[in-house]
Amino acid sequence: MRRPGVFLLLTLLLTGFSAAAQPPQEAPAPFARANVVLVRTTARPDSVLQTLRQYLTARGFLPDSMDAGRGLLTTTVVVPARTLAEQMKISARRMPDGWRLTALYTIEGPLNSATGFAAQYLGLESAPNKIAFRTLEEIARAVPRGTLRYSRSKVRFGAFTKLEDALRMPW
Protein backbone atom coordinates (compact mmCIF):
# COMPACT_ATOMS: atom_id res chain seq x y z
CA MET A 1 0.00 0.00 0.00
CA ARG A 2 2.76 2.44 0.78
CA ARG A 3 4.78 1.68 -2.35
CA PRO A 4 2.72 3.82 -4.77
CA GLY A 5 3.14 6.84 -2.46
CA VAL A 6 6.90 6.33 -2.18
CA PHE A 7 7.16 5.82 -5.93
CA LEU A 8 5.20 9.04 -6.58
CA LEU A 9 7.42 10.97 -4.16
CA LEU A 10 10.60 9.66 -5.83
CA THR A 11 9.24 10.53 -9.27
CA LEU A 12 8.44 14.09 -8.17
CA LEU A 13 11.88 14.51 -6.60
CA LEU A 14 13.71 13.19 -9.66
CA THR A 15 11.62 15.38 -11.98
CA GLY A 16 12.42 18.40 -9.83
CA PHE A 17 16.15 17.68 -9.88
CA SER A 18 16.24 17.20 -13.65
CA ALA A 19 14.33 20.46 -14.17
CA ALA A 20 16.78 22.26 -11.89
CA ALA A 21 19.75 20.90 -13.87
CA GLN A 22 18.46 22.26 -17.17
CA PRO A 23 19.98 25.52 -18.41
CA PRO A 24 17.89 28.64 -17.79
CA GLN A 25 15.34 29.40 -20.46
CA GLU A 26 15.51 32.48 -22.67
CA ALA A 27 12.48 34.58 -23.47
CA PRO A 28 11.89 37.38 -25.98
CA ALA A 29 10.25 39.57 -23.30
CA PRO A 30 11.06 40.17 -19.64
CA PHE A 31 9.41 37.70 -17.26
CA ALA A 32 8.96 37.71 -13.49
CA ARG A 33 12.33 37.50 -11.71
CA ALA A 34 14.40 37.78 -14.91
CA ASN A 35 17.79 39.22 -13.96
CA VAL A 36 19.87 38.74 -17.11
CA VAL A 37 19.64 40.57 -20.42
CA LEU A 38 21.19 38.68 -23.33
CA VAL A 39 22.10 40.59 -26.47
CA ARG A 40 22.77 38.88 -29.77
CA THR A 41 24.64 41.02 -32.25
CA THR A 42 26.79 40.77 -35.35
CA ALA A 43 28.90 43.73 -34.23
CA ARG A 44 32.58 43.10 -33.46
CA PRO A 45 33.34 42.60 -29.75
CA ASP A 46 35.73 45.56 -29.57
CA SER A 47 33.03 47.76 -31.13
CA VAL A 48 30.48 46.57 -28.56
CA LEU A 49 32.86 47.28 -25.68
CA GLN A 50 33.67 50.78 -26.94
CA THR A 51 30.01 51.59 -27.52
CA LEU A 52 29.00 50.36 -24.07
CA ARG A 53 31.85 52.23 -22.38
CA GLN A 54 30.92 55.50 -24.12
CA TYR A 55 27.22 54.99 -23.40
CA LEU A 56 27.80 54.24 -19.72
CA THR A 57 30.27 57.08 -19.21
CA ALA A 58 27.90 59.58 -20.84
CA ARG A 59 25.18 58.52 -18.36
CA GLY A 60 27.33 58.94 -15.25
CA PHE A 61 28.47 55.37 -14.70
CA LEU A 62 32.04 54.98 -13.48
CA PRO A 63 34.05 52.45 -15.52
CA ASP A 64 35.80 49.84 -13.38
CA SER A 65 37.36 47.40 -15.82
CA MET A 66 37.44 46.72 -19.53
CA ASP A 67 39.16 43.64 -20.89
CA ALA A 68 38.86 43.24 -24.67
CA GLY A 69 40.57 39.83 -24.59
CA ARG A 70 38.02 38.35 -22.20
CA GLY A 71 35.14 40.46 -23.49
CA LEU A 72 34.36 42.04 -20.12
CA LEU A 73 33.22 45.49 -19.06
CA THR A 74 32.22 46.48 -15.52
CA THR A 75 31.30 49.66 -13.71
CA THR A 76 31.92 50.51 -10.07
CA VAL A 77 29.71 51.45 -7.12
CA VAL A 78 30.18 54.49 -4.90
CA VAL A 79 29.03 54.61 -1.28
CA PRO A 80 27.46 56.99 -0.46
CA ALA A 81 25.95 57.36 -3.92
CA ARG A 82 24.37 60.51 -5.27
CA THR A 83 22.93 59.09 -8.50
CA LEU A 84 21.43 55.82 -9.73
CA ALA A 85 24.52 55.28 -11.89
CA GLU A 86 26.73 55.40 -8.79
CA GLN A 87 24.43 52.87 -7.05
CA MET A 88 24.74 50.25 -9.81
CA LYS A 89 27.44 47.83 -10.87
CA ILE A 90 26.94 46.75 -14.47
CA SER A 91 28.67 43.70 -15.90
CA ALA A 92 28.76 42.97 -19.64
CA ARG A 93 30.39 39.67 -20.62
CA ARG A 94 30.93 38.27 -24.10
CA MET A 95 29.40 34.84 -24.52
CA PRO A 96 29.72 32.47 -27.50
CA ASP A 97 26.44 33.70 -28.98
CA GLY A 98 26.40 37.35 -27.85
CA TRP A 99 26.61 39.40 -24.66
CA ARG A 100 25.30 38.79 -21.15
CA LEU A 101 24.44 41.86 -19.07
CA THR A 102 23.70 41.80 -15.36
CA ALA A 103 23.44 44.50 -12.72
CA LEU A 104 23.71 44.88 -8.99
CA TYR A 105 22.19 47.90 -7.26
CA THR A 106 22.85 49.11 -3.75
CA ILE A 107 20.66 50.37 -0.97
CA GLU A 108 22.52 52.38 1.61
CA GLY A 109 22.25 51.85 5.33
CA PRO A 110 23.65 53.68 8.34
CA LEU A 111 27.31 54.66 8.69
CA ASN A 112 28.13 54.63 4.96
CA SER A 113 27.26 50.96 4.61
CA ALA A 114 25.28 49.47 1.74
CA THR A 115 23.71 46.19 0.68
CA GLY A 116 23.81 44.87 -2.88
CA PHE A 117 20.82 43.34 -4.65
CA ALA A 118 20.44 41.87 -8.14
CA ALA A 119 18.49 43.97 -10.61
CA GLN A 120 15.47 41.92 -11.62
CA TYR A 121 12.14 42.23 -13.32
CA LEU A 122 9.90 41.97 -10.29
CA GLY A 123 7.30 44.13 -8.61
CA LEU A 124 5.96 47.56 -9.44
CA GLU A 125 7.70 49.80 -11.97
CA SER A 126 8.79 52.06 -9.09
CA ALA A 127 10.45 49.21 -7.15
CA PRO A 128 14.25 49.61 -6.88
CA ASN A 129 14.97 46.19 -8.38
CA LYS A 130 12.77 46.88 -11.40
CA ILE A 131 14.17 50.39 -11.90
CA ALA A 132 17.65 48.85 -11.93
CA PHE A 133 16.50 46.17 -14.38
CA ARG A 134 14.96 48.76 -16.71
CA THR A 135 18.24 50.70 -16.59
CA LEU A 136 20.12 47.51 -17.51
CA GLU A 137 17.68 46.93 -20.36
CA GLU A 138 18.28 50.48 -21.62
CA ILE A 139 22.04 49.88 -21.57
CA ALA A 140 21.60 46.61 -23.49
CA ARG A 141 19.72 48.50 -26.21
CA ALA A 142 22.87 50.55 -26.84
CA VAL A 143 24.63 47.49 -28.29
CA PRO A 144 24.86 47.99 -32.06
CA ARG A 145 22.56 45.74 -34.10
CA GLY A 146 21.48 43.96 -30.91
CA THR A 147 18.50 41.71 -30.33
CA LEU A 148 17.45 41.37 -26.68
CA ARG A 149 16.51 38.16 -24.89
CA TYR A 150 15.90 37.62 -21.19
CA SER A 151 16.96 34.94 -18.75
CA ARG A 152 17.37 34.22 -15.06
CA SER A 153 20.57 33.40 -13.26
CA LYS A 154 21.02 32.16 -9.70
CA VAL A 155 22.16 35.00 -7.46
CA ARG A 156 24.59 33.92 -4.75
CA PHE A 157 24.11 36.90 -2.46
CA GLY A 158 21.25 38.33 -0.45
CA ALA A 159 20.27 40.98 2.05
CA PHE A 160 22.81 39.83 4.65
CA THR A 161 25.79 39.63 2.28
CA LYS A 162 28.37 42.36 2.72
CA LEU A 163 28.49 44.72 -0.24
CA GLU A 164 32.18 44.02 -0.85
CA ASP A 165 31.44 40.30 -1.12
CA ALA A 166 28.42 40.84 -3.40
CA LEU A 167 30.51 43.02 -5.73
CA ARG A 168 33.05 40.21 -6.15
CA MET A 169 30.55 37.44 -6.81
CA PRO A 170 29.77 36.57 -10.42
CA TRP A 171 26.21 35.69 -11.33
Side-chain angles (χ1 to χ4, degrees), residues 1-149:
M1 288 289 218
R2 298 181 89 175
R3 285 184 118 172
V6 171
F7 181 72
L8 178 63
L9 180 61
L10 281 173
T11 303
L12 289 173
L13 284 173
L14 290 174
T15 305
F17 286 128
S18 66
Q22 294 175 355
Q25 299 295 318
E26 292 182 18
F31 56 89
R33 299 179 56 114
N35 59 4
V36 177
V37 180
L38 302 165
V39 184
R40 292 199 177 114
T41 182
T42 57
R44 291 188 350 252
D46 58 337
S47 170
V48 171
L49 286 173
Q50 286 298 335
T51 300
L52 285 175
R53 183 179 178 104
Q54 290 171 354
Y55 186 87
L56 290 166
T57 303
R59 279 152 187 78
F61 287 86
L62 305 170
D64 182 27
S65 66
M66 188 165 119
D67 186 339
R70 290 183 10 205
L72 174 66
L73 172 77
T74 62
T75 63
T76 192
V77 171
V78 177
V79 176
R82 293 181 304 267
T83 66
L84 178 63
E86 291 177 347
Q87 287 179 278
M88 291 182 65
K89 179 169 185 79
I90 305 294
S91 175
R93 296 179 186 275
R94 187 177 67 218
M95 305 301 284
D97 59 345
W99 291 82
R100 180 180 195 268
L101 281 78
T102 57
L104 172 142
Y105 71 94
T106 59
I107 294 180
E108 294 176 28
L111 305 172
N112 288 337
S113 66
T115 304
F117 298 91
Q120 63 179 332
Y121 189 80
L122 182 66
L124 301 172
E125 287 295 324
S126 60
N129 54 344
K130 197 173 236 183
I131 291 170
F133 184 84
R134 291 293 192 193
T135 302
L136 180 66
E137 200 175 26
E138 177 186 317
I139 293 163
R141 285 193 180 96
V143 173
R145 300 185 303 274
T147 303
L148 302 186
R149 305 279 299 165

